Structure formats: structure tokens, C-alpha cells
């Protein structure tokens, strides 16, 4: 049975965009009727699809055609794309913090609108998911400018008109995004989004990668433990990020015939460059702080970790977290609570 208690203690890992694959013909026919009456027909990605959208492109239905002798005889499957965070804000923006309670309510609202029953949630397979965390820093432009590599892959700026939006294709099926969420909505102060809001986000677009977080169908989005796994994923991906203002030097290491050269130089750089070490540890510490601060338990034993202010990214050690000695090693315990390994060395 899918949980219906929207006061559950799920952590605040923000789900921005979700795509589901549906093969159940009953649901497909019902949503086709909805699309024809409530949505706008749009140009498909190719001739194999019939597509509809609502709220711009923030809700989309892509019906995969089934053809016989050149005639349309039905639809093989349906790809349903939704944006629960935008839905929460009346499809205006996704720049604020998005609580689990609000996320689950948005999901319930969307599925109610689409007339998808809770008993059908297992029939909606998750095939694309975007999730991340927002942090408020003191100089988001400086932070974005220095984010250069994820493992051996360069971050790029896909649109020169948006220099503070970076993305990297970590693998064929996974992207890491790092961008200035506050600048994205700088022309809309009425939304109340801090100009120095930094967004770190993971986009996974392969079922076998998504299933590693414990998510297979919509039903899983209502289970607490998957949000622990999503946070662990975010933390792991940040660990693979290299912050440097010496990008060209590392580009040369990538061309070296010794494939281990880049990793060796990266590790050495992280040890001797104080600015890089401090910034990476500060962001990592604040990711943990924020995750813990979103727990509903008032008697958290990790209260001293909570950093209420902005993250300082100018290289000075934080006065709230001992970043020189605090090595964070998140462990998801069997009872789904967070533990720390080697917190103080």
C-alpha cells in the first residue's frame, strides 16, 4: 500500500523533473482522452510520436505510435513527464526549497488531475529523474566559475548567454548540473529567491541507474529510504567535482598517455591548494548540514553541525564547522538513520 501520510520524515531532496514510461493500455487510452481535451498538441521529437503538453512543456505526454501497413493502430507506450516543484509554485518557478510534504502533495495533485489511481502507481516506471539541493553561498559566480571537472569530464557552459549554468555528461546516462539558481530568476524578485542560490543537481536517465537508488516506479517515491539514497548520491557526485581556476593545466593532464596522470595530479592539487580544499569541504559540509537540518526530529544529535548562514567560498575556513579535521563519511544505517564515520580524526 502506498503511504498517504504526507507528514512523513522524508528528507528534503528536491525532485525537479520526472519521466515515467507506461505500457498499460487502459492508462494510455485514458490519458489520450485527457490530452485531446485538456492539453495542446505539439511537434513531436520525431514521426514515431504523438505529443501533447500543458503548462508550457512542464507537463508532457509523448505517445509512441504502433503502426501496421502504414496505419496508426494504437500506441506502444506512453512517456509522461512532470515537474512537481514547478507545480507547487503554480508553474512559475522552482527556485525555493521544496519540502517532502509539498513534493508528495504535488505528486498527488498531478496524478489526481491525470486521473491516475494510487493502485496504478506500480504501473508507472521511472525512466528519468532530476534531483538536487539548493545552497545559499556568499558569491555564487565565483563558485560556478571554479567548478571545472567531474572525475575526468569537463563541465561546460552549453549557452554562452548563461555563463553560470554548467553541465557535464558524467556518463552516457547521467548528467551533473551546477548553476546559479538565483540568477536564473534574477528578473523576478517577487519570488524571493536569494541571488546567490547555488543548485547542485543530478539527472539520471537510465532505469538501471535510477534503480540503484531504490526507485523503480511511482510507488517508490513515497518510501522514506529512497531519499537517503538520493542524498548519498548527491554527496558522492560532489566528491567527484574538482574546483580549480587552473583548468587549462588539467586539460593537459587529460591528454597525457598515462590515464592515471589526471587523477594523481587532482589528488595532489586537492591536498596543497588551500582555496580548493576549503571550498570543496565547505560545500560538502553544508550539503550535510542542510540534509540534517531538514529532518523533522527536534532532538538531533548532530545539532552542532548545522550552519545557519551562507557558505563562505572565498577560501577562509568556516568558524562553524572545523573543516580541517572534520572528515564526513555518511553511512546509511540499516534503520535508515544517518551515521557518521570518522567524524573527528
Amino acid at each position: 500500500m502506498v503511504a498517504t501520510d504526507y507528514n512523513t520524515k522524508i528528507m528534503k531532496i528536491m525532485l525537479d523533473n520526472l519521466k515515467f514510461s507506461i505500457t498499460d493500455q487502459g492508462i494510455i487510452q485514458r490519458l489520450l482522452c485527457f490530452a485531446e481535451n485538456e492539453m495542446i498538441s505539439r511537434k513531436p521529437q520525431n514521426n514515431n510520436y504523438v505529443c501533447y503538453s500543458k503548462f508550457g512543456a512542464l507537463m508532457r505526454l509523448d505517445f509512441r505510435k504502433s503502426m501496421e501497413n502504414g496505419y496508426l493502430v494504437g500506441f506502444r507506450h506512453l512517456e509522461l513527464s512532470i515537474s512537481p516543484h514547478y507545480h507547487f509554485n503554480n508553474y512559475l518557478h522552482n527556485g525555493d526549497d521544496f519540502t517532502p510534504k509539498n513534493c508528495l502533495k504535488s505528486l498527488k495533485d498531478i496524478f489526481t488531475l491525470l486521473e491516475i489511481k494510487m493502485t496504478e502507481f506500480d504501473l508507472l516506471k521511472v525512466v528519468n529523474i532530476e534531483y538536487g539541493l539548493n545552497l545559499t553561498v556568499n558569491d555564487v559566480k565565483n563558485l560556478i566559475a571554479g567548478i571545472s571537472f567531474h572525475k575526468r569530464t569537463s563541465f561546460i557552459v552549453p549557452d554562452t548567454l548563461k555563463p553560470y549554468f554548467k553541465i557535464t555528461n558524467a556518463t552516457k546516462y547521467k548528467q551533473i548540473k551546477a548553476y546559479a539558481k538565483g540568477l536564473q530568476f534574477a528578473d523576478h524578485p517577487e519570488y524571493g529567491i536569494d541571488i546567490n542560490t547555488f543548485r547542485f543537481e543530478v539527472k539520471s536517465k537510465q532505469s538501471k541507474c535510477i534503480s540503484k537508488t531504490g526507485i523503480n516506479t511511482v510507488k517508490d517515491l513515497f518510501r522514506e529510504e529512497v531519499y537517503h539514497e538520493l542524498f548519498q548520491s548527491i554527496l558522492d557526485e560532489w566528491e567527484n567535482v574538482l574546483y580549480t581556476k587552473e583548468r587549462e593545466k588539467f586539460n593537459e593532464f587529460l591528454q597525457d598517455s598515462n590515464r592515471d596522470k589526471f587523477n594523481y595530479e587532482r589528488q595532489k592539487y586537492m591536498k596543497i591548494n588551500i582555496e580548493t580544499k576549503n571550498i570543496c569541504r565547505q560545500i560538502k559540509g553544508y550539503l550535510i548540514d542542510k540534509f540534517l537540518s531538514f529532518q523533522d526530529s527536534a532532538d538531533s544529535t548532530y545539532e552542532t553541525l548545522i550552519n545557519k548562514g551562507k557558505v563562505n567560498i572565498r577560501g577562509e575556513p568556516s568558524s562553524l564547522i572545523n573543516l580541517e579535521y572534520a572528515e564526513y563519511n555518511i553511512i546509511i544505517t540499516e534503520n535508515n538513520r544517518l551515521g557518521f564515520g570518522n567524524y573527528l580524526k
Side-chain angles (χ1 to χ4, degrees), residues 172-226:
K172 182 178 179 181
Y173 302 105
K174 182 171 65 177
Q175 294 176 328
I176 310 299
K177 299 179 184 179
Y179 58 99
K181 175 64 74 173
L183 294 177
Q184 181 182 352
F185 295 101
D187 294 335
H188 296 277
E190 68 272 18
Y191 296 161
I193 303 169
D194 192 297
I195 198 70
N196 280 303
T197 297
F198 167 62
R199 172 76 172 179
F200 188 69
E201 184 175 291
V202 180
K203 179 179 180 179
S204 187
K205 47 186 179 178
Q206 187 184 49
S207 295
K208 72 175 183 180
C209 295
I210 298 170
S211 64
K212 292 179 181 179
T213 65
I215 298 174
N216 293 289
T217 70
V218 167
K219 185 176 180 179
D220 296 318
L221 298 175
F222 293 83
R223 295 192 298 110
E224 176 178 349
E225 56 266 30
V226 302

Side-chain angles (χ1 to χ4, degrees), residues 56-265:
L58 295 172
M59 179 184 288
R60 196 171 71 245
L61 298 179
D62 298 308
F63 296 86
R64 179 65 161 86
K65 295 178 182 178
S66 180
M67 308 291 292
E68 286 186 11
N69 300 319
Y71 293 96
L72 177 66
V73 296
F75 297 99
R76 188 175 305 171
H77 71 266
L78 164 63
E79 296 170 10
L80 166 62
S81 302
I82 62 172
S83 303
H85 197 170
Y86 268 99
H87 177 88
F88 174 71
N89 290 306
N90 298 314
Y91 293 93
L92 295 174
H93 70 87
N94 64 343
D96 56 351
D97 280 345
F98 190 41
T99 69
K101 182 177 179 180
N102 292 331
C103 180
L104 297 177
K105 185 179 184 304
S106 290
L107 289 173
K108 181 183 177 183
D109 289 346
I110 292 170
F111 293 134
T112 298
L113 174 66
L114 296 173
E115 298 182 353
I116 297 174
K117 306 177 183 67
M118 290 176 58
T119 54
E120 297 173 321
F121 283 0
D122 262 347
L123 300 175
L124 277 67
K125 184 178 181 180
V126 180
V127 294
N128 196 316
I129 183 171
E130 292 186 19
Y131 55 94
L133 280 172
N134 289 344
L135 303 179
T136 304
V137 300
N138 71 328
D139 186 353
V140 72
K141 292 183 178 181
N142 184 45
L143 176 60
I144 300 296
I147 292 177
S148 300
F149 294 91
H150 176 272
K151 294 185 178 178
R152 293 171 53 88
T153 306
S154 296
F155 276 91
I156 63 170
V157 177
D159 184 348
T160 56
L161 297 179
K162 301 175 182 178
Y164 301 106
F165 180 98
K166 287 186 174 181
I167 189 170
T168 180
N169 291 316
T171 70
K172 182 178 179 181
Y173 302 105
K174 182 171 65 177
Q175 294 176 328
I176 310 299
K177 299 179 184 179
Y179 58 99
K181 175 64 74 173
L183 294 177
Q184 181 182 352
F185 295 101
D187 294 335
H188 296 277
E190 68 272 18
Y191 296 161
I193 303 169
D194 192 297
I195 198 70
N196 280 303
T197 297
F198 167 62
R199 172 76 172 179
F200 188 69
E201 184 175 291
V202 180
K203 179 179 180 179
S204 187
K205 47 186 179 178
Q206 187 184 49
S207 295
K208 72 175 183 180
C209 295
I210 298 170
S211 64
K212 292 179 181 179
T213 65
I215 298 174
N216 293 289
T217 70
V218 167
K219 185 176 180 179
D220 296 318
L221 298 175
F222 293 83
R223 295 192 298 110
E224 176 178 349
E225 56 266 30
V226 302
Y227 293 85
H228 291 267
E229 295 296 335
L230 291 177
F231 171 71
Q232 184 68 61
S233 169
I234 291 171
L235 200 64
D236 291 345
E237 298 302 348
W238 177 254
E239 286 284 283
N240 292 320
V241 169
L242 174 61
Y243 176 95
T244 179
K245 298 298 180 63
E246 302 177 60
R247 183 178 183 129
E248 292 304 318
K249 179 172 72 173
F250 282 92
N251 279 332
E252 292 179 7
F253 296 148
L254 285 174
Q255 306 304 317
D256 196 278
S257 58
N258 182 358
R259 286 186 56 83
D260 293 332
K261 175 72 171 178
F262 181 91
N263 291 333
Y264 171 78
E265 294 293 343

Side-chain angles (χ1 to χ4, degrees), residues 292-307:
L292 293 175
S293 72
F294 291 152
Q295 296 184 76
D296 291 338
S297 58
D299 56 348
S300 170
T301 58
Y302 311 113
E303 182 177 355
T304 56
L305 278 175
I306 306 304
N307 178 347

